[in-house]
Amino acid sequence: MAGMPLNDMPWWRWRANVRSALHMLSDPHFHENYWVPRVPGYGDVTDAVYRLVEDTWLDNWSAEKYVGTVFRDSQEAALVDAAVLRVLRIMHQVGADAPVSDYLGHHGWPEAVRAAREAHIRLAANDGEDPDTPPRSLDELHAALHSV
């Protein structure tokens, strides 16, 4: 998130966490090359889901609630809501502590990845970033969150 304007949104730290989670959830290449082999520093599906909903409570209410604080507009919020619902549905079916392979093998996973990708593209573009850069490590995210 090096190019992301870190302080132009009131709750930019929450936005950074949501963006990081969506970025990781939306990239099948990342799943196969980082999550499946358990590369240190990138977490797993459960970690990404917690980053997506932990501060925002998007598992309890709509992202629309955060337009103007975390999300720039209703389109961002709608795309995030769609991704959250799809990912959480799978998490509840396979279990929070399921191995990555259970998520990747779930019949609904491709649709969850697509929804996360749509949300990721919109948020990255609105932040002036290239959505196709590889996801950054959790250490890089932590450093960005504590740099301002």
Side-chain angles (χ1 to χ4, degrees):
M1 301 193 193
M4 188 170 91
L6 290 179
N7 56 6
D8 74 329
M9 295 295 294
W11 297 350
W12 64 267
R13 286 179 175 90
W14 289 13
R15 183 178 178 88
N17 275 321
V18 168
R19 282 201 48 210
S20 171
L22 288 169
H23 197 172
M24 289 182 179
L25 290 165
S26 72
D27 186 343
H29 176 77
F30 175 83
H31 304 160
E32 293 296 330
N33 292 292
Y34 289 85
W35 280 348
V36 170
R38 304 176 116 187
V39 174
Y42 292 91
D44 58 17
V45 177
T46 301
D47 175 68
V49 173
Y50 286 140
R51 264 183 291 122
L52 189 60
V53 302
E54 183 175 38
D55 291 327
T56 59
W57 287 43
L58 292 175
D59 52 339
N60 290 304
W61 50 62
S62 173
E64 185 70 30
K65 177 178 181 125
Y66 297 113
V67 169
T69 56
V70 177
F71 305 110
R72 297 185 188 283
D73 56 38
S74 292
Q75 185 178 13
E76 279 189 359
L79 291 169
V80 169
D81 279 341
V84 167
L85 290 173
R86 283 171 178 75
V87 171
L88 286 177
R89 184 176 303 126
I90 294 168
M91 180 182 230
H92 291 147
Q93 290 174 0
V94 302
D97 295 327
V100 171
S101 59
D102 288 1
Y103 285 92
L104 302 183
H106 188 277
H107 65 88
W109 189 250
E111 182 59 26
V113 169
R114 185 199 57 74
R117 177 77 179 155
E118 288 177 2
H120 165 65
I121 287 171
R122 175 74 181 194
L123 272 66
N126 284 348
D127 287 341
E129 288 199 357
D130 178 1
D132 294 323
T133 60
R136 292 174 179 87
S137 73
L138 297 178
D139 287 340
E140 290 172 292
L141 174 63
H142 180 76
L145 293 176
H146 294 89
S147 66
V148 174

